[in-house]
Every structure is written in C-alpha cells, then in structure tokens.
C-alpha cells in the first residue's frame, strides 16, 4: 500500500518531489518526516509497483530506496530503474547498512545507516547533480553522434554514386535490349534458321537477365548503405541481443570508407568468432568512431603507404576486435587523457568526445577498451566483449 505525505508549501525552489521505498519499515517513517519537515513532497511506498505508479502519474525528482529492508523490493526496483530507458535518468539514492555494497553502484548516492538529516539532504543533492551530469553527457553524445553522421553522409554521397551509376547503366542496357529483342522475336523463330534463332534468343535473354541481376546487385548495395546510415541515425532505447560482430564490422567499414579511402589501405583478418550480447547500432557507432579516428590520425594523400588493420578473433570466452593504424600515434601524456571528454589531439577539428563515447559504449556492454600507441608509429585500439555462451558452455 502507498501512503502519501505531501507538504502544503515548498519554501524554496530546491525542494523536490521524492518517492520513498521503505518496505516493511515501521510507521511513521523517520526519513519521510524529516523530508516533509524540510518542505519536500513525499510519496512513501511499500512495493516497487507503487513506486513505478508514482513515476508514471507525475514528475518525480528523486527516488530513495531502502536496500536494507527485508525482502527484495529494493533490489528489484534498482534493476528496473537502471534497465528501463524510461526511468534510467531518475536520480536514485540507496539506504544501506554499514559494510554493505549491495547494488550501491546502481545508485547515484548512498546513505549508510545510521544517518542524520544533513547527510540525507547532501545525498539527495549529490544524486540530483549526478543525474544532471548524466543528462548533459547524453546531450553531448547526441551532438557528437550527429556531427559524425554529417561527416559520414558527405562521404557516403560520393560512395553511393558508383553503385547507382552501375545499376542505372545496366537497367538502361536491359531496357534497350528488351525493345530490340521484342521487335525481332518473330523473325528469329521463323524460317529455315528457326533453331539458330531460338539459340540466339536464349543467348540474348541470358544477357538481359544478367543486366537485370547486375542492376539489382547495385541497388541492393545502395539500400544496404542507406540502411547502415539510418541505423546510426536512429535514436532509440538500447536493446541487447545476440550480435554478429563481423557483420557489424563490415557495415562499419562501409560507412567509414569515404573517410579512409585517400588516407590508408584497409586490411582485415577475421577468425571465426561467436556472437556477443549487445546493441547492434551502438556497436556500429563504436566501430565507426574507432575507424574514423584511425583514418584521421593519418594525413591524406598517400594511402598506398599507410594502413588500417582490422582483426577479429575469439580469446578465452571473449570476442576481441583490434583496429590498428600507421598514423601519428600519441605520446604517453596524451594516452593518459584520450578518454577524457573534450580532450582531443586534433588541433583544428574534433569535439574530443569520440573516444569518451567509445569507452561509454564498451562499458554499457560490460567490455574492455584498451589502447597502445607510440608517437610517430601509430595506435592500436582493442575492444573485448563477452561472447554469448553456447548451450554446452552453460551446462
């Protein structure tokens, strides 16, 4: 059951609406009373379902969860709030017993019992600030993603011309041939040379079929490229499911081809590797970022003398992707900062968010992102993701 204790007035703008999950705790709630006395509007809940009802009914600024209470309501709510994209940005404060680290990492702030009112308010402010930083980071990532899409769209426009010209040329040939063949069918099938005419007709129809098939191949390539770009552009909730990393890599190489073409020759070394559990568009964004970053580390104009090497293999239950370039490389000082937001080694371009976003995507997938680099000798980025367990692995 949910009981409501709503303040009559809000003394200052800093006071917020709080949802408090305290299953099985004594009444009245000391935490609810302290919050209400200070002007907070408080919804006190017994179950996670009650909390979700509150979140859906009206805007909520902070959720406080008692993880030390009997039962698993608090743990269940923490998982829901962090796994559901609709609630992922809600500030979360966890109340825990001394020495307990259970699920504390899922919360924006932790309160260790016993605590006083001052510590409670500090934890709430800390959670609010952390949520604001999280929202800002999401907006910055969106800005970087759109900037990357603009760069890719400009180069993909050129790449689309080739398969489009190929398809249109073959369709034109097929159209002209069809008109010519139709006009001469009766002549080919009549007279003393009818058998030869049939063979000629069959040969011409085969050529016509080949033209149509080649045109279809070119248009399919265009559709795939447009689909890849749309996948990166589509903003949606993250959904983890089994993903073929090789397919994502090949799609990412297609997307980044325009950025790489005049800078380096790409070589690929793919070993058999299992699927990983992940979000395919997010992994595509990760690999496109790393490939474009590798290309931009190499000056344009001498592609034959430079290379980007892409490796895929399985290692002890993990799928590993390595992207190595022969670019400018980085100093030891730069290496310590490359994953910091806004830090960039590109003096005239770049927001400094690309590698920070790459790190965040890898962390979303519970993976590892490592880098090796030497100034003047290039860099190698390694992405390690957990493989999907097979049936035999699970036994």
């Amino acid at each position: 059951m949910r009981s409501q204790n709503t303040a009559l007035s809000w003394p200052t703008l800093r006071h917020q609406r709080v949802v408090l999950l305290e299953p099985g705790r004594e009444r009245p709630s000391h935490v609810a009373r302290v919050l209400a006395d200070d002007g907070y509007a408080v919804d006190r809940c017994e179950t996670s379902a009650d909390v979700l009802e509150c979140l859906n009914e009206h805007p909520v600024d902070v959720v406080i969860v008692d993880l030390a209470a009997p039962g698993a309501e608090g743990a269940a709510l923490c998982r829901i709030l962090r796994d559901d994209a609709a609630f992922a940005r809600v500030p979360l404060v966890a109340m825990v017993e001394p020495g307990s680290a259970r699920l504390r990492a899922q919360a924006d702030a932790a309160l260790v019992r016993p605590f006083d009112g001052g510590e409670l308010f500090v934890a709430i402010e800390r959670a609010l600030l952390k949520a604001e930083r999280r929202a800002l980071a999401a907006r910055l990532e969106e800005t970087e993603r759109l900037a990357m899409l603009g760069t890719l769209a400009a180069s993909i426009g050129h790449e689309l011309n080739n398969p489009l010209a190929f398809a249109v040329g073959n369709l034109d040939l097929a159209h002209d041939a069809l008109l010519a063949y139709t006009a001469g069918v009766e002549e080919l099938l009549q007279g003393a040379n009818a058998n030869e005419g049939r063979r000629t007709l069959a040969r011409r129809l085969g050529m016509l079929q080949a033209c149509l098939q080649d045109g279809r191949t070119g248009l399919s390539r265009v559709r795939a490229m447009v689909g890849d770009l749309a996948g990166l552009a589509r903003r949606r909730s993250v959904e983890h499911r089994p993903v073929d990393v090789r397919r994502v890599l090949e799609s990412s190489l297609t997307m980044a081809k325009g950025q790489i073409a005049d800078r380096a020759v790409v070589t690929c070394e793919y070993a058999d590797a299992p699927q990983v559990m992940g979000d395919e568009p997010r992994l595509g964004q990760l690999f496109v970022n790393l490939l474009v970053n590798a290309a931009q580390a190499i000056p344009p104009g001498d592609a034959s003398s430079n290379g980007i090497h892409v490796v895929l293999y399985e290692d002890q239950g993990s799928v590993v992707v390595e992207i190595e370039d022969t670019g400018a490389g980085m100093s030891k000082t730069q290496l310590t900062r490359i994953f910091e937001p806004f830090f960039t080694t590109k003096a005239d371009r770049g927001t400094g968010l690309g590698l920070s976003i790459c790190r965040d995507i890898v962390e979303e997938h519970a993976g590892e992102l490592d880098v090796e680099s030497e100034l003047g000798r290039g860099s190698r980025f390694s992405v390690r993701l957990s493989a999907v367990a097979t049936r035999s692995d699970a036994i």
Side-chain angles (χ1 to χ4, degrees), residues 290 293 329-345 352-359 369-373 379-381:
L290 291 177
N293 196 66
M330 291 172 282
S331 66
K332 292 182 178 179
T333 301
Q334 290 172 328
L335 276 175
T336 63
R337 301 190 60 193
I338 58 170
F339 295 117
E340 294 179 10
F342 306 113
F343 176 78
T344 178
T345 59
L353 291 172
L355 289 177
S356 175
I357 291 171
C358 288
R359 179 198 58 192
L369 176 60
D370 297 316
V371 57
E372 299 176 18
S373 185
S379 304
R380 179 172 61 194
F381 286 83

Side-chain angles (χ1 to χ4, degrees), residues 7-294:
L8 296 178
S9 62
W10 290 26
T12 70
L13 290 177
R14 77 176 179 86
H15 291 141
Q16 310 288 334
R17 177 173 290 277
V18 176
V19 174
L20 175 63
L21 177 64
E22 280 190 308
R25 288 288 180 181
E26 71 283 353
R27 296 181 183 277
S29 165
H30 174 68
V31 174
R33 180 180 59 79
V34 170
L35 290 171
D37 287 348
D38 202 58
Y40 286 78
V42 182
D43 287 323
R44 188 184 180 201
C45 302
E46 283 280 346
T47 68
S48 56
D50 291 335
V51 174
L52 297 177
E53 181 184 343
C54 287
L55 292 172
N56 288 318
E57 283 179 352
H58 49 65
V60 171
D61 298 289
V62 183
V63 174
I64 301 178
V65 180
D66 187 356
L67 290 178
E73 285 292 331
L77 180 62
C78 284
R79 284 192 292 270
I80 292 171
L81 294 183
R82 286 301 172 253
D83 292 342
D84 192 324
F87 305 124
R89 296 184 183 180
V90 176
L92 179 60
V93 176
M95 296 186 292
V96 298
E97 296 292 347
S100 172
R102 187 173 65 120
L103 296 177
R104 193 183 302 188
Q106 293 183 323
D108 296 306
L111 273 168
V112 181
R113 295 181 182 275
F115 53 83
D116 57 29
E119 292 171 315
L120 173 61
F121 299 137
V122 167
I124 290 174
E125 295 297 330
R126 184 181 297 119
L128 289 169
L129 289 172
K130 190 170 181 179
E132 288 179 5
R133 289 198 298 270
R134 194 162 57 241
L136 176 60
R139 290 194 294 270
L140 291 172
E141 179 176 340
E142 180 70 3
T143 300
E144 174 71 10
R145 188 176 66 88
L146 292 175
M148 176 65 71
L149 282 172
T151 301
L152 292 175
S155 59
I156 285 176
H158 174 72
E159 294 298 322
L160 288 175
N161 282 334
N162 293 330
L164 273 177
F166 178 69
V168 171
N170 277 281
L171 292 176
D172 285 342
L173 286 173
H175 177 265
D176 295 342
L178 185 59
L179 291 177
Y181 300 166
T182 302
V185 166
E186 291 186 7
E187 180 181 347
L188 288 171
L189 296 180
Q190 292 177 357
N193 295 322
N195 288 335
E196 180 63 28
R198 291 189 184 93
R199 287 192 291 271
T200 301
L201 180 61
R203 185 168 61 253
R204 290 180 176 179
L205 289 175
M207 293 172 61
L208 175 62
Q209 184 180 15
C211 288
L212 291 173
Q213 182 59 46
D214 286 345
R216 183 178 181 180
T217 299
L219 292 176
S220 296
R221 189 73 197 112
V222 171
R223 181 173 63 180
M225 294 174 71
V226 171
D228 291 339
L229 187 61
L232 281 178
R234 194 177 301 118
R235 184 178 182 181
R236 56 175 183 74
S237 58
V238 175
E239 298 177 3
H240 284 198
R241 59 187 63 184
V243 174
D244 182 345
V245 177
R246 176 170 178 166
R247 183 180 64 195
V248 179
L249 271 175
E250 291 175 341
S251 172
S252 300
L253 281 165
T254 300
M255 299 296 293
K257 183 178 178 181
Q259 295 293 306
I260 298 172
D262 66 338
R263 297 171 184 263
V265 175
V266 176
T267 56
C268 299
E269 184 180 342
Y270 297 146
D272 290 337
Q275 294 181 318
V276 302
M277 188 64 69
D279 182 81
E280 188 164 328
R282 292 285 281 169
L283 289 176
Q285 182 181 1
L286 165 68
F287 294 135
V288 168
N289 277 356
L290 291 177
L291 288 166
V292 171
N293 196 66

